[in-house]
Every structure is written in C-alpha cells, then in structure tokens.
Amino acid sequence: MKLHRPAVSVYTVPTDAPEADGTLAWDSTTVVIAEVTAADETGTGWTYGPPAIGDFLREQLAPLVEGMTAYDIPAVHDTLCRAVRNAGRPGVASAAISAVDIALWDLKARLLELPLVRLLGARRERVPVYGSGGFTTYHDTHMAAQLNGWVHGQHIPRVKIKVGESWGREAARDLHRVRAARHIIGEEAELYVDAGGAYTRKQAVRMGHAMAEHGVGWFEEPVSSDDLTGLRLVRDAVVSDVTAGEYGYDLPYFARMITAGAVDCLQVDATRCGGLTEFLHAAALAEAHGLEVSAHCAPHAHAAVAATIPNLRHIEWFHDHVRIEDMFFDGALDPMGGTVSPTRGMGHGLTLRTEDVEQYRVA
C-alpha cells in the first residue's frame, strides 16, 4: 500500500482575546496540517507553530514519504528523522515530522477500518483532561467565566492558569489571581499553575510556598525548562509537583530531563516530539523511571494514544487548541465530567472541514 506525497496546508486563526503567559504574548495561532493518502483513504495530522513548518514539510519531507509503505510507520519515521540531520531536529523539523507521523497513524487505522485507539490497544476507555487557559492578560471577570465554565459547567475537576506575568515582575498579581481562582473553583477542584519559565530559582521557591497555601498542586515550568538543575532544586523545595517537557523535540531531551531528576510528571507533546511514535517512546522512558506523563496541548491529537499508556496522568484541554480543533474538525470530543472517550469513528475520528476553514488559510 504505497503512500502519495502528503498535502500540506497552513492556517492562522486569531485568538478570541489577547493572550499571554509569563514570557510571551500572542494574538493568533497557526496550525499546519498534513494529509497523507494511500488507496482511497486519507490520514490527517497537524502541529502548531510558524508557517515555516509547512514550507519545510512540503519541500523537504513530503518527497521522502511518497512511495513508502503505509503500514510501515517506523520505517517512514526513521527516514524523516535521518533526513533532518543537517537541518537540525529540534523546532521546525520535528514539528513537521510530528504532523506527518500523526497523519500516518490515522491513515493506518482507517485502512484497517479501526478506531486509532483500537489499533494502538486501549488501556482505558476514558482519558482525564484538565482545563487550561487563564492567561495573564485576562481580567478577573474573564478568568472567572472560563474557570466557571470548566469546573461548574463541564464538571472538569482540574484547571490551570498562567502565572509569572512579565517575567515574574508581577508576583503580587500572580498571587491575587491564584487566590481568585481558588475562590472560583471551590475547595474540591485541583488548581494548577504554569509560570512559563518566568521565575528565578529562589523566586520560584518563594512563589511555590505561597501558592501551596491555596492548594496549588501542579507547578509547571517554575524556571526555564532549559535549567534542569533549577527545576530539580525547585522540585526538592516545594510541595507541588514540578512539571516540564513540552519543548522536547526528541527522545534524548526527555532522557536528560528525567536523569536530572527535574520533574515529578513529564509533559510530552506529540505535535512537537515526533508524533505518536515518539510520544510512545517518551512515555515508556518515563515509565521506566517511575514517572507519569501528561500530554501537552493539542488534545485531539493525544486522546487515542493517551488511552494506551500505563503511566498517563491526563491531557491538557488547552483553550486555544480546543477552539481551533472544534472549528476545524468534525468529530471533536466532549470533556463533560472531566474525561474524553476517543473510541468513536475510524482513525482518530476527526474529519477536516476544508471549505469551512478556508478563510483562515495562509498557504
């Protein structure tokens, strides 16, 4: 079953409000979509990042995929990884590989007339999610509406907000927002924070202690994820779980983070690390070291594979990506009750609404 050359499309979608975290601000999100066809079936994969990902995929990777065997995903994955040696694996190249890999798994499941979760082999029927947003640009009313929607509307019992505003220079406001979030969601729901690497080491420890008083149990990137020593020092000093890993573009990245003792839970993003193939490798590596895995962003890309691994904690129901995936695909999942079930339909169960989203297309 021979593969045709992947089709590539790029779309940029404005956010529904200004957004920022501790170290970055943005007003749009770009999604790069790869469609891979064999016989009469098409698999769809995607990643988030700059339009350059689409250019790289189209020019450098797509010709290599053409003519390879649809069922032999490891062979295609190895070919693409080896081809980017001189270009550099992290960043654009790995995101492009990820989109193709996700599409290949979707395609294989469709060729076999199976839901992707059945092809991979399910360990659970439902996958826990946590609501993620709470951007530092949100005023209190906006944040309250979002958190209320997740916890009291959709009954998602765990939520995350951004802290570390302006590279950690607004610590008082960070604590105000944490207190407000706890008041909104009540005492039973889990409260997480993401500092985006904005704090210094000692500042992260001080903030971790202060936020723990409000039941914060998840402290994401308290310092830069490049500072493995700093992550370990903060991890040793605070009661919240320290987490990172979203910028992992290859398996050695995760190995270094784990070996350094930097995290309590490893975040892995299939749209960055090399697709579902590498996600499974990273999850196995984490399991071997006694760590759980949380899937970062792109929830519909992760739902099926998350249902298969033994050491899953949850997947991130990230506002921007949920909004885009709801707009772009038929078959989007329902997180009511705090879980999703990725068992419907063939493949990952999503169908691109090509005509409906044409207005956002940039390439």
Side-chain angles (χ1 to χ4, degrees):
M1 194 83 60
K2 299 300 183 183
L3 294 164
H4 298 293
R5 184 175 297 210
V8 182
S9 51
V10 181
Y11 305 84
T12 295
V13 181
T15 57
D16 56 1
E19 295 179 356
D21 58 19
T23 57
L24 192 68
W26 61 95
D27 59 11
S28 66
T29 300
T30 296
V31 56
V32 178
I33 295 178
E35 296 174 277
V36 185
T37 301
D40 295 325
E41 293 290 347
T42 298
T44 305
W46 65 98
T47 186
Y48 295 95
I53 297 169
D55 296 334
F56 188 87
L57 200 167
R58 189 182 298 109
E59 296 167 11
Q60 303 295 322
L61 302 185
L64 303 176
V65 174
E66 188 172 16
M68 297 194 73
T69 303
Y71 292 132
D72 296 338
I73 297 174
V76 182
H77 190 272
D78 286 351
T79 296
L80 299 182
C81 291
R82 290 168 181 162
V84 304
R85 186 197 69 178
N86 289 349
R89 170 70 185 269
V92 166
S94 189
I97 292 169
S98 300
V100 174
D101 187 85
I102 293 167
L104 288 170
W105 280 104
D106 182 39
L107 172 63
K108 184 174 181 177
R110 291 175 190 270
L111 288 170
L112 295 173
E113 299 183 350
L114 289 170
L116 177 55
V117 69
R118 300 300 178 210
L119 173 63
L120 295 169
R123 290 178 181 270
R124 58 187 65 82
E125 293 296 309
R126 303 198 68 86
V127 177
V129 306
Y130 70 89
S132 173
F135 303 106
T136 59
T137 45
Y138 281 3
H139 52 68
D140 288 358
T141 304
H142 193 160
M143 186 178 75
Q146 187 178 67
L147 296 177
N148 269 315
W150 286 326
V151 175
H152 304 300
Q154 295 178 307
H155 304 289
I156 299 174
R158 55 195 81 84
V159 294
K160 184 174 79 181
I161 67 170
K162 305 291 188 183
V163 295
E165 183 177 352
S166 301
W167 287 90
R169 291 190 290 269
E170 298 292 340
R173 184 166 188 262
D174 287 343
L175 292 175
H176 163 76
R177 295 176 67 251
V178 167
R179 287 192 296 270
R182 172 54 70 194
H183 178 74
I184 293 160
I185 67 176
E187 294 301 318
E188 299 301 318
E190 297 177 41
L191 180 58
Y192 302 167
V193 299
D194 177 4
Y199 296 136
T200 64
R201 294 176 181 182
K202 286 291 184 69
Q203 184 184 25
V205 172
R206 292 192 296 271
M207 294 298 290
H209 289 162
M211 291 187 292
E213 295 179 9
H214 305 286
V216 171
W218 169 283
F219 197 178
E220 184 174 331
E221 284 196 299
V223 297
S224 170
S225 56
D226 293 328
D227 182 9
L228 297 180
T229 300
L231 285 172
R232 180 181 55 78
L233 291 171
V234 176
R235 180 191 181 197
D236 289 345
V238 302
V239 296
S240 303
D241 282 353
V242 168
T243 69
E246 66 186 75
Y247 300 112
Y249 290 104
D250 56 22
L251 202 59
Y253 176 100
F254 298 113
R256 291 190 295 272
M257 183 165 280
I258 292 170
T259 301
V263 296
D264 295 291
C265 181
L266 185 70
Q267 293 179 282
V268 186
D269 189 332
T271 72
R272 290 176 176 170
C273 73
L276 306 187
T277 299
E278 205 78 308
F279 184 97
L280 289 167
H281 294 163
L285 182 63
E287 183 189 7
H289 289 82
L291 293 178
E292 289 184 316
V293 163
S294 178
H296 172 264
C297 289
H300 292 87
H302 289 108
V305 72
T308 73
I309 62 172
N311 53 329
L312 176 78
R313 185 173 296 195
H314 40 44
I315 63 177
E316 183 174 11
W317 199 252
F318 179 56
H319 172 72
D320 283 2
H321 294 177
V322 168
R323 178 170 168 261
I324 288 173
E325 290 163 15
D326 281 348
M327 293 167 59
F328 274 61
F329 298 109
D330 289 322
L333 299 171
D334 181 0
M336 183 65 70
T339 64
V340 293
S341 180
T343 57
R344 298 178 302 174
M346 298 299 100
H348 50 45
L350 303 179
T351 303
L352 182 64
R353 298 172 179 153
T354 307
E355 293 184 5
D356 293 347
V357 299
E358 185 63 27
Q359 60 182 307
Y360 301 111
R361 186 163 181 164
V362 296

